[in-house]
Amino acid sequence: MNLYIDNHTFHYEMENLLRAFFPYDKISVKKECENIEKPYVFTSINDTISVTVSFEDFKKTLSTKKKQNSDEDELVMAQLMYALLCEYFDTTLPWGILTGVRPIKLLRRFIEAYGEDYAREYFLSEFKVSQKKLALALITQKCESAILSLSQEKSFSLYISIPFCPSRCNYCSFVSQSIEKAKHLIDDYVKLLCDELKLTAKIAKDLGFRLETVYMGGGTPTTLSAQQMDLVLSTVNEHFDMSTCREFTVEAGRPDTISKEKLIVIKKNKVTRISINPQTLNDEVLSIIGRRHSAQDAIDAFYLARECGFENINMDLIAGLKGDNYNSFVDTLDKIRELSPESITIHTLALKRSSTLNTENIDINIGIKNETTDMLEYSQKVLMPDGFVPYYLYRQSRMAGNLENVGWSKRGCESLYNVYVMDETHTILACGAGGVTKLKDHKSDKLERIFNFKFPYEYNTRFNELMERKDAIYSFYDEFFSF
């Protein structure tokens, strides 16, 4: 698919919108507009804003006179392209022309600036968002706002990365290493991670920061042994001021890594929330996606966590997995509801660039017309009457059905960290391979990122270089704040 850009700078936005309709296709963005090759979308701004869509069996142009206010040019061009692609596919997208990761953050800004009535109308008429998704967004925004109000100017959250997994799922693009390949790295990794945590705690103390949440993710943190887990978690408790910490999450993740010994260690270290993520309770689908556990293993892990005293458990599911269908997804969700976890996160399958699904071109149904939409609608239909509320929502490129990921929670059990990181509310200090520290300046709304090395072997061998990068935290806040 060729996307031609003539006399404007909106190539990124137009490419993302085009990809929403053609998630499988390679899109070539071209600014040389003389030799036009089909299939193509031609976008142009001169006296008029014009979009032409030309496929094998379809060619049509829409244009409108350019307004004096150039701030509207991008919106108008997106609306023209959207109208033509909707006509070609004989459908609409649930989120209209919105392609960003954070539609709730955008909605909140509109509400704060113009009021809820204006925001509603603008999202429907200008952004072309469906009534159903707008209703979901409004509920989510209200839940998020209550959590955001807890954050202060000097608040921060701590992210701890454990980039190891028992095996790699075929939909995953995270920089995680299978235990078989990376076992020899783990002991050194854990020791260095504790050193980074100690340094990060000193920085937070020097700057007078207030710790709100801790999130240990990955990868699968419970691939660590109970002893390694104890070392990391006790380092957090010993060196950070935990007196203000509202939430301490460990992503237990894969049921095949969970043991009673590990759960006792996690509980002993004052972790308040864990996540057990079966993704599906269909054994055939689990095998297809590369999981080495059964549905029963996930159920057993949940009951074991309850036995060990965990009262805030999240479970992740994915809608749209290869081999799954609507009835199978409904069966999975109904079984999870019977367990009655405190939160259920419904992810929509996304065709991530470096996943096996993408690199090996495994045939999946990720286009804009598929039954994943029905799966998400069923989730909303049954979870709200069960007492769950949508408390955070985000989107990704190349999602099945051009849909969304939603965190559903019982009141009072929402993951604060998920909301803070998605909204970019306050500073996130990240430790471990693949971690990204995000420094927030509340006055200018500026974010500055400090990237840790992606791979564990880089983290281990270049650790001293990584520690030098942490000095940038001090210099950032010297520039924007007077502590």
Coordinates of all heavy atoms in Angstrom, one line a residue, residues 160-229:
I160 N 9.9 -2.2 38.3 CA 11.0 -3.2 38.4 C 10.9 -4.2 37.3 O 9.8 -4.9 37.2 CB 11.1 -3.8 39.8 CG1 11.1 -2.8 40.9 CG2 12.3 -4.8 39.9 CD1 10.7 -3.4 42.2
S161 N 11.9 -4.3 36.4 CA 11.8 -5.2 35.3 C 12.5 -6.5 35.5 O 13.7 -6.6 35.8 CB 12.4 -4.5 34.0 OG 12.4 -5.4 32.9
I162 N 11.7 -7.6 35.3 CA 12.3 -9.0 35.4 C 12.1 -9.6 34.0 O 11.0 -10.1 33.7 CB 11.6 -9.8 36.4 CG1 11.6 -9.1 37.8 CG2 12.3 -11.2 36.5 CD1 13.0 -8.9 38.4
P163 N 13.0 -9.4 33.1 CA 12.8 -9.7 31.6 C 13.1 -11.2 31.3 O 13.8 -11.5 30.3 CB 13.8 -8.8 30.9 CG 15.0 -8.8 31.9 CD 14.4 -8.9 33.3
F164 N 12.5 -12.1 32.1 CA 12.7 -13.6 31.8 C 11.3 -14.2 31.8 O 10.4 -13.8 32.6 CB 13.6 -14.2 32.9 CG 14.9 -13.5 33.1 CD1 15.1 -12.7 34.1 CD2 15.9 -13.7 32.1 CE1 16.3 -12.0 34.3 CE2 17.1 -13.1 32.3 CZ 17.3 -12.2 33.4
C165 N 11.2 -15.2 31.0 CA 9.9 -16.0 30.9 C 10.2 -17.5 30.7 O 11.3 -17.8 30.3 CB 9.1 -15.5 29.7 SG 8.1 -14.1 30.0
P166 N 9.3 -18.4 31.1 CA 9.5 -19.8 30.9 C 9.7 -20.1 29.4 O 10.4 -21.0 29.0 CB 8.3 -20.5 31.5 CG 7.6 -19.4 32.3 CD 8.0 -18.1 31.7
S167 N 8.9 -19.5 28.6 CA 9.0 -19.6 27.1 C 8.3 -18.3 26.5 O 7.7 -17.5 27.2 CB 8.2 -20.8 26.6 OG 6.8 -20.7 27.0
R168 N 8.5 -18.1 25.2 CA 8.0 -16.9 24.6 C 6.7 -17.2 23.9 O 6.6 -18.1 23.1 CB 9.0 -16.4 23.6 CG 8.7 -15.1 23.0 CD 9.8 -14.7 21.9 NE 9.5 -13.4 21.3 CZ 9.9 -12.2 21.7 NH1 10.7 -12.2 22.8 NH2 9.6 -11.1 21.0
C169 N 5.7 -16.5 24.3 CA 4.4 -16.6 23.6 C 4.4 -16.0 22.2 O 5.2 -15.0 22.0 CB 3.3 -15.9 24.4 SG 3.1 -16.5 26.1
N170 N 3.7 -16.6 21.3 CA 3.8 -16.2 19.9 C 3.3 -14.8 19.6 O 3.6 -14.2 18.5 CB 3.2 -17.2 18.9 CG 1.7 -17.3 19.0 OD1 1.1 -16.5 19.6 ND2 1.2 -18.4 18.4
Y171 N 2.5 -14.2 20.5 CA 2.0 -12.8 20.3 C 2.9 -11.8 20.9 O 2.6 -10.6 20.8 CB 0.6 -12.7 20.8 CG 0.4 -13.1 22.3 CD1 0.9 -12.2 23.3 CD2 0.0 -14.3 22.7 CE1 0.8 -12.6 24.6 CE2 -0.1 -14.7 24.0 CZ 0.3 -13.8 25.0 OH 0.3 -14.2 26.3
C172 N 3.9 -12.2 21.7 CA 4.6 -11.3 22.5 C 5.8 -10.6 21.8 O 6.5 -11.2 21.0 CB 5.2 -12.0 23.7 SG 6.0 -10.9 24.9
S173 N 6.0 -9.3 22.1 CA 7.1 -8.6 21.5 C 8.0 -7.9 22.6 O 8.9 -7.2 22.3 CB 6.6 -7.4 20.6 OG 5.9 -6.4 21.3
F174 N 7.7 -8.3 23.9 CA 8.5 -7.7 24.9 C 9.9 -8.3 24.9 O 10.1 -9.4 24.4 CB 7.9 -8.0 26.3 CG 6.7 -7.2 26.7 CD1 5.5 -7.8 26.9 CD2 6.8 -5.8 26.8 CE1 4.4 -7.0 27.2 CE2 5.7 -5.1 27.1 CZ 4.5 -5.7 27.3
V175 N 10.9 -7.5 25.4 CA 12.3 -8.0 25.4 C 12.4 -8.9 26.6 O 12.9 -8.5 27.6 CB 13.3 -6.8 25.4 CG1 14.7 -7.3 25.4 CG2 13.0 -5.9 24.3
S176 N 12.0 -10.1 26.4 CA 12.1 -11.1 27.5 C 12.9 -12.3 27.0 O 12.8 -12.7 25.8 CB 10.7 -11.5 28.1 OG 9.9 -12.0 27.0
Q177 N 13.6 -13.0 27.8 CA 14.4 -14.1 27.5 C 13.8 -15.4 28.1 O 13.4 -15.4 29.3 CB 15.8 -13.9 28.0 CG 16.5 -12.6 27.6 CD 16.8 -12.5 26.1 OE1 17.6 -13.4 25.6 NE2 16.2 -11.6 25.4
S178 N 13.8 -16.5 27.3 CA 13.4 -17.7 27.9 C 14.4 -18.2 28.9 O 15.6 -18.0 28.7 CB 13.1 -18.8 26.8 OG 14.4 -19.1 26.2
I179 N 13.9 -18.9 29.9 CA 14.8 -19.4 31.0 C 15.9 -20.3 30.4 O 17.1 -20.3 30.8 CB 14.0 -20.1 32.0 CG1 13.2 -19.1 32.9 CG2 14.9 -21.0 33.0 CD1 14.1 -18.1 33.6
E180 N 15.5 -21.2 29.4 CA 16.5 -22.1 28.8 C 17.7 -21.4 28.3 O 18.9 -21.8 28.4 CB 15.8 -22.9 27.7 CG 14.8 -23.9 28.1 CD 13.4 -23.3 28.2 OE1 13.3 -22.1 28.2 OE2 12.4 -24.1 28.1
K181 N 17.5 -20.2 27.7 CA 18.6 -19.4 27.0 C 19.3 -18.5 28.0 O 20.5 -18.1 27.8 CB 18.0 -18.6 25.8 CG 17.5 -19.5 24.7 CD 17.0 -18.6 23.6 CE 16.5 -19.4 22.4 NZ 16.0 -18.6 21.3
A182 N 18.6 -18.1 29.0 CA 19.2 -17.0 29.9 C 19.4 -17.3 31.3 O 19.7 -16.5 32.1 CB 18.2 -15.8 29.8
K183 N 19.3 -18.6 31.7 CA 19.4 -19.0 33.1 C 20.7 -18.6 33.7 O 20.8 -18.1 34.8 CB 19.2 -20.5 33.2 CG 19.1 -21.0 34.6 CD 18.8 -22.5 34.7 CE 18.6 -22.9 36.2 NZ 18.2 -24.4 36.2
H184 N 21.8 -18.6 32.9 CA 23.1 -18.3 33.4 C 23.3 -16.8 33.7 O 24.2 -16.4 34.4 CB 24.2 -18.7 32.4 CG 24.1 -18.0 31.1 ND1 23.1 -18.2 30.2 CD2 24.9 -17.0 30.6 CE1 23.3 -17.4 29.1 NE2 24.3 -16.6 29.3
L185 N 22.3 -16.0 33.2 CA 22.4 -14.5 33.5 C 21.7 -14.1 34.7 O 21.9 -13.0 35.2 CB 21.8 -13.8 32.3 CG 22.4 -14.0 30.9 CD1 21.6 -13.3 29.8 CD2 23.8 -13.4 30.9
I186 N 20.8 -14.9 35.3 CA 19.9 -14.4 36.3 C 20.5 -14.1 37.6 O 20.2 -13.0 38.2 CB 18.7 -15.5 36.5 CG1 18.0 -15.6 35.2 CG2 17.8 -15.0 37.6 CD1 16.8 -16.6 35.2
D187 N 21.4 -14.9 38.1 CA 22.1 -14.6 39.4 C 22.7 -13.2 39.4 O 22.5 -12.4 40.3 CB 23.1 -15.6 39.8 CG 22.4 -16.9 40.4 OD1 21.3 -16.8 40.8 OD2 23.1 -17.9 40.4
D188 N 23.5 -12.9 38.4 CA 24.2 -11.6 38.3 C 23.2 -10.5 38.0 O 23.4 -9.4 38.6 CB 25.2 -11.7 37.1 CG 26.5 -12.5 37.4 OD1 26.7 -12.8 38.6 OD2 27.2 -12.9 36.5
Y189 N 22.2 -10.8 37.3 CA 21.1 -9.8 37.0 C 20.5 -9.4 38.3 O 20.3 -8.2 38.5 CB 20.1 -10.4 36.0 CG 19.0 -9.4 35.7 CD1 19.2 -8.5 34.6 CD2 17.8 -9.3 36.4 CE1 18.2 -7.6 34.3 CE2 16.8 -8.4 36.1 CZ 17.0 -7.5 35.1 OH 16.0 -6.6 34.8
V190 N 20.1 -10.3 39.1 CA 19.4 -10.0 40.4 C 20.3 -9.2 41.3 O 19.8 -8.2 41.9 CB 18.9 -11.3 41.1 CG1 18.5 -11.0 42.5 CG2 17.8 -11.9 40.3
K191 N 21.6 -9.5 41.4 CA 22.5 -8.7 42.2 C 22.6 -7.3 41.7 O 22.6 -6.3 42.5 CB 23.8 -9.4 42.3 CG 23.8 -10.8 43.0 CD 25.2 -11.5 42.8 CE 25.1 -12.9 43.5 NZ 26.3 -13.6 43.2
L192 N 22.8 -7.1 40.4 CA 22.9 -5.8 39.9 C 21.6 -5.0 40.0 O 21.6 -3.8 40.2 CB 23.4 -5.9 38.4 CG 24.8 -6.4 38.2 CD1 25.1 -6.7 36.7 CD2 25.8 -5.4 38.7
L193 N 20.5 -5.7 39.8 CA 19.2 -5.0 39.9 C 19.0 -4.5 41.3 O 18.6 -3.3 41.5 CB 18.1 -6.0 39.6 CG 16.6 -5.5 39.8 CD1 16.3 -4.3 38.9 CD2 15.6 -6.6 39.6
C194 N 19.5 -5.2 42.3 CA 19.4 -4.7 43.7 C 20.3 -3.5 43.9 O 19.9 -2.5 44.6 CB 19.8 -5.8 44.7 SG 18.5 -7.1 44.8
D195 N 21.4 -3.5 43.2 CA 22.3 -2.3 43.3 C 21.6 -1.1 42.7 O 21.7 0.0 43.2 CB 23.6 -2.6 42.6 CG 24.5 -3.5 43.4 OD1 24.3 -3.7 44.6 OD2 25.5 -4.1 42.8
E196 N 21.0 -1.3 41.5 CA 20.3 -0.2 40.9 C 19.1 0.3 41.7 O 18.8 1.5 41.8 CB 19.7 -0.6 39.5 CG 19.1 0.6 38.7 CD 18.6 0.2 37.4 OE1 18.5 -1.0 37.0 OE2 18.2 1.1 36.7
L197 N 18.4 -0.6 42.4 CA 17.3 -0.2 43.3 C 17.8 0.6 44.4 O 17.2 1.6 44.8 CB 16.6 -1.5 43.8 CG 15.7 -2.2 42.8 CD1 15.3 -3.6 43.4 CD2 14.4 -1.4 42.6
K198 N 19.0 0.3 45.0 CA 19.5 1.1 46.1 C 19.9 2.5 45.6 O 19.6 3.4 46.3 CB 20.8 0.3 46.6 CG 20.5 -1.0 47.3 CD 21.7 -1.7 47.7 CE 21.4 -3.1 48.2 NZ 22.7 -3.9 48.5
L199 N 20.5 2.6 44.4 CA 20.9 3.9 43.9 C 19.6 4.7 43.6 O 19.5 5.9 43.9 CB 21.7 3.7 42.6 CG 22.0 5.1 41.9 CD1 22.9 6.0 42.8 CD2 22.7 4.8 40.6
T200 N 18.6 4.1 43.0 CA 17.3 4.8 42.7 C 16.6 5.2 44.0 O 16.1 6.3 44.0 CB 16.4 3.8 41.9 OG1 17.1 3.4 40.7 CG2 15.1 4.5 41.5
A201 N 16.7 4.4 45.0 CA 16.1 4.9 46.3 C 16.8 6.1 46.9 O 16.2 7.0 47.4 CB 16.2 3.7 47.3
K202 N 18.1 6.1 46.7 CA 18.9 7.3 47.2 C 18.5 8.6 46.4 O 18.3 9.6 47.0 CB 20.4 7.1 47.0 CG 21.3 8.2 47.5 CD 22.7 7.9 47.3 CE 23.6 9.1 47.9 NZ 23.2 10.4 47.3
I203 N 18.3 8.4 45.1 CA 17.9 9.5 44.2 C 16.6 10.0 44.7 O 16.3 11.3 44.8 CB 17.9 9.1 42.8 CG1 19.3 8.8 42.3 CG2 17.3 10.2 41.9 CD1 19.4 8.2 40.9
A204 N 15.6 9.1 44.9 CA 14.3 9.5 45.3 C 14.3 10.2 46.6 O 13.6 11.2 46.8 CB 13.4 8.3 45.4
K205 N 15.1 9.8 47.5 CA 15.2 10.4 48.8 C 15.9 11.8 48.7 O 15.4 12.8 49.3 CB 16.1 9.5 49.8 CG 16.2 10.1 51.2 CD 17.0 9.2 52.1 CE 17.1 9.7 53.5 NZ 17.9 8.9 54.4
D206 N 17.0 11.9 47.9 CA 17.6 13.2 47.7 C 16.7 14.3 47.2 O 16.8 15.4 47.5 CB 18.8 13.0 46.8 CG 20.0 12.3 47.4 OD1 20.0 12.1 48.7 OD2 20.9 11.8 46.7
L207 N 15.8 13.8 46.3 CA 14.9 14.8 45.6 C 13.6 15.0 46.4 O 12.7 15.8 46.0 CB 14.6 14.3 44.2 CG 15.7 14.2 43.2 CD1 15.3 13.6 41.9 CD2 16.3 15.6 43.0
G208 N 13.4 14.3 47.5 CA 12.2 14.5 48.3 C 11.0 13.9 47.6 O 9.9 14.4 47.9
F209 N 11.2 12.8 46.9 CA 10.0 12.2 46.2 C 9.2 11.4 47.1 O 9.6 10.9 48.2 CB 10.5 11.3 45.1 CG 10.9 12.0 43.8 CD1 10.7 13.4 43.6 CD2 11.3 11.3 42.7 CE1 11.0 14.0 42.5 CE2 11.6 11.9 41.5 CZ 11.5 13.3 41.4
R210 N 7.9 11.3 46.7 CA 6.9 10.5 47.5 C 6.5 9.3 46.7 O 5.9 9.4 45.6 CB 5.7 11.4 47.7 CG 4.5 10.7 48.4 CD 3.3 11.6 48.3 NE 2.1 10.9 48.7 CZ 1.6 10.9 49.9 NH1 2.2 11.5 50.9 NH2 0.5 10.2 50.2
L211 N 6.8 8.1 47.2 CA 6.5 6.8 46.5 C 5.0 6.5 46.6 O 4.4 6.4 47.7 CB 7.3 5.7 47.0 CG 7.1 4.3 46.4 CD1 7.4 4.4 44.9 CD2 7.9 3.2 47.1
E212 N 4.3 6.4 45.4 CA 2.9 6.1 45.4 C 2.6 4.6 45.1 O 1.8 3.9 45.8 CB 2.2 6.9 44.3 CG 2.3 8.4 44.5 CD 1.4 8.9 45.6 OE1 0.5 8.1 46.1 OE2 1.6 10.0 46.1
T213 N 3.3 4.0 44.1 CA 3.1 2.6 43.7 C 4.4 2.0 43.3 O 5.3 2.6 42.8 CB 2.1 2.5 42.6 OG1 2.7 3.0 41.4 CG2 0.8 3.2 42.8
V214 N 4.5 0.6 43.5 CA 5.6 -0.2 43.0 C 5.0 -1.3 42.1 O 4.0 -1.9 42.5 CB 6.3 -0.8 44.1 CG1 7.5 -1.7 43.6 CG2 6.9 0.2 45.1
Y215 N 5.6 -1.5 40.9 CA 5.1 -2.5 40.0 C 6.3 -3.3 39.5 O 7.2 -2.8 38.9 CB 4.4 -1.9 38.8 CG 3.6 -2.8 38.0 CD1 2.2 -2.9 38.2 CD2 4.2 -3.7 37.0 CE1 1.4 -3.8 37.4 CE2 3.4 -4.6 36.3 CZ 2.1 -4.7 36.5 OH 1.3 -5.6 35.8
M216 N 6.2 -4.6 39.8 CA 7.3 -5.5 39.4 C 6.7 -6.3 38.2 O 5.8 -7.1 38.4 CB 7.7 -6.5 40.5 CG 8.9 -7.3 40.3 SD 9.3 -8.3 41.8 CE 10.8 -9.1 41.3
G217 N 7.2 -6.1 37.0 CA 6.7 -6.7 35.8 C 7.8 -7.3 35.0 O 8.9 -7.5 35.4
G218 N 7.4 -7.6 33.7 CA 8.4 -8.3 32.9 C 8.0 -8.5 31.5 O 7.3 -7.6 31.0
G219 N 8.3 -9.6 30.8 CA 8.7 -10.8 31.4 C 7.7 -11.4 32.5 O 6.5 -11.0 32.6
T220 N 8.2 -12.3 33.2 CA 7.5 -13.0 34.3 C 8.3 -13.0 35.5 O 9.2 -13.8 35.7 CB 7.1 -14.5 33.9 OG1 6.4 -14.5 32.6 CG2 6.2 -15.1 34.9
P221 N 8.0 -12.1 36.5 CA 8.9 -12.0 37.7 C 9.0 -13.3 38.4 O 10.0 -13.6 39.1 CB 8.1 -10.9 38.5 CG 7.5 -10.0 37.5 CD 7.1 -10.9 36.4
T222 N 7.9 -14.1 38.4 CA 8.0 -15.4 39.2 C 8.8 -16.4 38.5 O 8.8 -17.6 39.0 CB 6.6 -15.9 39.5 OG1 5.7 -15.7 38.3 CG2 6.0 -15.1 40.7
T223 N 9.5 -16.1 37.4 CA 10.5 -17.1 36.9 C 11.7 -17.0 37.9 O 12.6 -18.0 37.8 CB 11.0 -16.7 35.5 OG1 11.4 -15.3 35.5 CG2 9.9 -16.9 34.5
L224 N 11.9 -16.0 38.7 CA 12.9 -16.0 39.7 C 12.6 -17.1 40.7 O 11.5 -17.4 41.0 CB 13.0 -14.6 40.4 CG 13.3 -13.4 39.5 CD1 13.4 -12.2 40.4 CD2 14.6 -13.6 38.7
S225 N 13.7 -17.5 41.4 CA 13.5 -18.5 42.5 C 12.9 -17.7 43.7 O 12.9 -16.4 43.7 CB 14.8 -19.1 42.9 OG 15.7 -18.1 43.5
A226 N 12.4 -18.4 44.7 CA 11.9 -17.8 45.9 C 13.0 -16.9 46.5 O 12.7 -15.8 47.0 CB 11.3 -18.8 46.8
Q227 N 14.2 -17.4 46.6 CA 15.3 -16.7 47.2 C 15.6 -15.4 46.4 O 15.9 -14.4 47.0 CB 16.5 -17.6 47.3 CG 16.4 -18.8 48.2 CD 15.5 -19.9 47.7 OE1 15.3 -20.0 46.4 NE2 14.9 -20.7 48.5
Q228 N 15.7 -15.5 45.1 CA 16.0 -14.3 44.3 C 14.8 -13.3 44.4 O 15.1 -12.1 44.5 CB 16.1 -14.8 42.8 CG 17.4 -15.6 42.6 CD 17.4 -16.3 41.2 OE1 16.3 -16.5 40.6 NE2 18.5 -16.6 40.7
M229 N 13.6 -13.8 44.4 CA 12.5 -12.9 44.6 C 12.6 -12.2 46.0 O 12.3 -11.0 46.1 CB 11.2 -13.7 44.5 CG 9.9 -12.9 44.7 SD 9.5 -12.0 43.2 CE 9.0 -13.4 42.1

